[in-house]
Amino acid sequence: MVKVTSHGAELHVDDLYGDRRPIVLVHGWPLSGEAWKHQVEAFSDAGHRVVTYDRRGFGRSGVAADGAYDYDALTDDLEEVVRALDLSDAVVVGFSMGGGEAVRLATRASGRLAGIVLAAAVPPYLLKTEDNPDGPLPPEGADGMKAGLAEDREGFLPGFVRDFFRAGDDVAVSEAEVEAALGLALQSDQDAALACIDSFSRTDFRDDVAAVRLPTLVVHGDADGIVPLEGSGQRAHDAIEGSKLVVIKGGPHGVNVSHADEFNRAVLEFVNSL
């Protein structure tokens, strides 16, 4: 474990050394780097250097000293982690909200990345607007999520986390997995969690996605009810030239947990092909 400071925020980073290409895992909202437990072991066993970190205001990281939770600041954090660990030829895997940092870092001239993976990720643009009619999240949905968290945190988070793993009418993971994810969600700072709802729901990544020139894998479950495949993963794949799309049948939003073996296999095949 190391600490990396970015914009005054102290970030908790876990770094498992390996001889093969580094894989940096960026978690979703409102979890932490510990949400990648099914990936860390598998990727490390395959010989890769595996890096996870907790987003500012989440898990074991500190809150933002500058109060910023926009994607420019969040991507600065990711870039600082990559630089502080002197990573090169790395693959960044961005899950859900973390897909925003992944595509934005891919457009920066860092020269340290070999590729990116967008896993159940929010790009290109989650919010449904007049000029983004295919956005899967209506404004009232974003507003309702923020109001629910603001007014009844203890009531909102359990339901959200359960929906995280819901595929149709069924929850696709064990109750122990649901409780573990809820425990991570409850570690989040309330102000950070509220601000990040605005960031992931209202940030337009269409220009970022169009500018990606790195090899890209898109992995998405076809039963994702939080970030639907058709409105996000499929559109990102269509917009990124040469990208590969892997659709996991029956996969909910938390597909890296519910279908861990299939997810890990797709990511490792992509990483090892670079």
Side-chain angles (χ1 to χ4, degrees):
M1 184 274 291
V2 296
K3 291 287 187 181
V4 173
T5 300
S6 177
H7 290 269
E10 191 174 65
L11 306 176
H12 177 101
V13 181
D14 288 309
D15 182 6
L16 289 180
Y17 289 91
D19 296 330
R20 304 181 71 181
R21 174 176 280 118
I23 303 176
V24 183
L25 303 172
V26 188
H27 67 84
W29 183 95
L31 307 177
S32 76
E34 291 184 275
W36 290 110
K37 62 182 180 181
H38 294 288
Q39 283 66 55
V40 169
E41 183 177 1
F43 297 166
S44 180
D45 285 349
H48 292 281
R49 182 177 181 180
V50 184
V51 176
T52 65
Y53 72 99
D54 297 348
R55 186 179 284 108
R56 56 169 65 191
F58 294 81
R60 298 149 293 181
S61 288
V63 298
D66 57 7
Y69 293 95
D70 60 274
Y71 268 103
D72 285 336
L74 298 176
T75 306
D76 286 347
D77 290 352
L78 170 58
E79 188 167 23
E80 187 59 37
V81 169
V82 170
R83 290 183 180 277
L85 300 182
D86 195 26
L87 302 181
S88 61
D89 203 29
V91 173
V92 171
V93 182
F95 173 78
S96 192
M97 180 179 182
E101 286 105 323
V103 296
R104 188 147 292 180
L105 185 61
T107 67
R108 297 185 178 184
S110 68
R112 291 180 176 269
L113 302 189
I116 63 171
V117 178
L118 301 179
V122 299
Y125 189 11
L126 204 58
L127 197 70
K128 184 174 185 176
T129 65
E130 286 188 5
D131 76 334
N132 187 45
D134 294 325
L137 181 64
E140 57 270 23
D143 293 341
M145 182 182 296
K146 192 171 182 181
L149 180 63
E151 295 167 9
D152 184 13
R153 174 183 171 89
E154 304 302 321
F156 173 82
L157 286 175
F160 178 82
V161 168
R162 189 166 296 277
D163 288 343
F164 206 86
F165 298 112
R166 193 179 299 280
D169 294 331
D170 299 321
V171 176
V173 300
S174 68
E175 191 62 27
E177 293 282 13
V178 174
E179 290 299 317
L182 177 58
L184 300 183
L186 290 170
Q187 294 176 17
S188 63
D189 176 79
Q190 178 75 338
D191 290 338
L194 288 168
C196 283
I197 291 175
D198 286 332
S199 295
F200 72 70
S201 66
R202 300 182 183 278
T203 301
D204 184 349
F205 293 104
R206 288 176 292 184
D207 288 344
D208 300 88
V209 168
V212 172
R213 297 293 181 267
L214 291 172
T216 301
L217 170 67
V218 178
V219 184
H220 220 111
D222 66 1
D224 190 333
I226 301 239
V227 181
L229 166 65
E230 296 77 11
S232 290
Q234 182 66 55
R235 293 173 66 201
H237 167 60
D238 292 342
I240 300 175
E241 185 176 354
S243 64
K244 179 182 179 181
L245 174 64
V246 172
V247 177
I248 296 181
K249 185 174 178 58
H253 188 54
V255 68
N256 64 307
V257 177
S258 64
H259 294 67
D261 289 344
E262 191 173 351
F263 180 93
N264 294 347
R265 185 164 55 250
V267 173
L268 285 173
E269 286 178 357
F270 170 73
V271 171
N272 294 336
S273 73
L274 300 178

